[in-house]
Amino acid sequence: MTRSPNALNEPQREVLVAWLFLAPALILLGAFLLGPIVYLIYLSFTSGSFTRAGIQWVGLRNYWRLFLTPDFWQVIGNTVYFTLATVIPSLVIPLGLAVLLNRSVAFRGLLRTAYFIPSITSLVAVGLGFRWLFQTDGPVNALLGTVGIEPIPWLGSVIWTMPVLILLSIWKQLGFNLVVFLAGLQAIPANRYEAAELDGANAWQQFWHITLPGLRPTLIFATVTTAIFTLRSFEQPYVITGGGPLNSTNLLVFYIYNQAFAQFDFGYAAAAATVLLMVTLVFVYLQLRILGDEN
């Protein structure tokens, strides 16, 4: 019996079946992720409203405005400061806690649950709680008053307001990174530590020469995800400060929101959002590149 020239062999049929199963997810991905990204980039070269009749092509004008606007550079500075001050403690603190909780300590399961609770708590609700805590006549200043410290205008000072947002973001991210580091620690073979103890290595030497190298892929993943989470922060300034005082807590996503939905300058906001998208893609690229080199 001769085989039809149009008949598919077994590998080709498997590929076809795979594409058929992937098609619904790919269609949804294109419609709700890739489509909006393409439209965002297109919108950044225009001015006007969302309607076709209200859009005028302006080329790179929005990007020129963006890079020549002092407020935008202040927002970039705020975002860099906020990101660095959030990401580093959000990695160091959970890593230390994970090393401790990976050992046989009392109430280990209860402590793991308690540390993870912030990750599943609504950021808006937590933001309202922090705004109440750090009011001038709030519990934090009341506690400081018991040791003789004058009330600090946490939410009314260009110096103290940003640390409140940073503290909230660190607290929010702590539980997720803790779980990630615990998973990474449990993947390191225990016989490495046993051999190191036989060789006389102390706890610090074991941490530096076994734990950190073993956690390298986990650290890269946690760094990138924490940086992306921090870069897209919106609820913190929206709920607590409104970007003030004096624009000192205006972060990039909140700035984009204000330009789009308060000033109705959609093209300019789209240009700022495209810059944010490019920065995020750089972080993702670096993660894939470093992990690829590791493998």
Side-chain angles (χ1 to χ4, degrees):
M1 182 177 180
T2 60
R3 181 171 175 266
S4 172
N6 295 326
L8 298 177
N9 56 35
E10 187 63 26
Q12 290 174 330
R13 284 197 296 270
E14 291 179 357
V15 170
L16 178 61
V17 171
W19 279 109
L20 288 175
F21 278 104
L22 287 172
L26 293 175
I27 292 171
L28 291 175
L29 183 67
F32 295 102
L33 180 63
L34 299 180
I37 289 175
V38 172
Y39 184 70
L40 169 72
I41 297 173
Y42 162 73
L43 201 63
S44 70
F45 295 101
T46 66
S47 65
S49 64
F50 284 117
T51 63
R52 184 181 296 274
I55 290 179
Q56 296 86 36
W57 183 265
V58 296
L60 294 173
R61 187 184 304 169
N62 289 321
Y63 291 96
W64 283 115
R65 285 179 55 205
L66 199 67
F67 296 124
L68 294 176
T69 302
D71 283 348
F72 175 74
W73 290 110
Q74 183 182 3
V75 168
I76 291 294
N78 294 341
T79 305
V80 171
Y81 166 40
F82 175 77
T83 301
L84 291 177
T86 299
V87 170
I88 295 173
S90 295
L91 297 173
V92 174
I93 297 173
L95 178 58
L97 291 173
V99 171
L100 293 176
L101 293 178
N102 195 46
R103 302 175 179 177
S104 297
V105 296
F107 307 109
R108 182 173 63 176
L110 179 62
L111 289 173
R112 288 180 179 181
T113 303
Y115 285 126
F116 189 71
I117 287 176
S119 299
I120 58 176
T121 306
S122 168
L123 195 51
V124 174
V126 174
L128 292 173
F130 267 66
R131 190 173 68 178
W132 170 71
L133 287 172
F134 287 93
Q135 288 177 348
T136 304
D137 56 349
V140 173
N141 277 333
L143 181 62
L144 294 176
T146 61
V147 293
I149 299 177
E150 293 293 325
I152 298 173
W154 296 102
L155 304 182
S157 167
V158 296
I159 297 174
W160 293 107
T161 309
M162 185 66 84
V164 174
L165 303 189
I166 292 169
L167 181 62
L168 166 59
S169 300
I170 294 171
W171 183 81
K172 178 67 176 175
Q173 191 69 9
L174 187 147
F176 176 80
N177 285 343
L178 175 64
V179 171
V180 170
F181 286 136
L182 280 172
L185 287 171
Q186 291 169 7
I188 299 175
N191 56 14
R192 295 184 184 179
Y193 295 99
E194 295 170 358
E197 288 180 359
L198 292 175
D199 290 336
N202 58 34
W204 172 251
Q205 291 171 329
Q206 292 178 34
F207 175 78
W208 187 257
H209 294 288
I210 299 176
T211 303
L212 280 183
L215 284 178
R216 188 169 185 268
T218 306
L219 279 167
I220 295 170
F221 170 78
T223 302
V224 173
T225 54
T226 304
I228 293 174
F229 167 81
T230 307
L231 283 172
R232 63 179 181 83
S233 295
F234 169 77
E235 293 90 340
Q236 297 94 317
Y238 181 80
V239 173
I240 299 177
T241 65
L246 300 177
N247 214 35
S248 61
T249 59
N250 195 354
L251 303 179
L252 187 52
V253 175
F254 186 70
Y255 180 75
I256 293 167
Y257 168 82
N258 277 332
Q259 294 300 318
F261 301 106
Q263 305 298 326
F264 297 102
D265 196 348
F266 297 112
Y268 180 80
T274 303
V275 171
L276 176 61
L277 173 65
M278 294 299 106
V279 172
T280 305
L281 290 178
V282 167
F283 275 104
V284 174
Y285 170 77
L286 290 176
Q287 180 195 20
L288 295 176
R289 181 65 181 271
I290 295 172
L291 288 177
D293 293 343
E294 179 76 13
N295 294 330

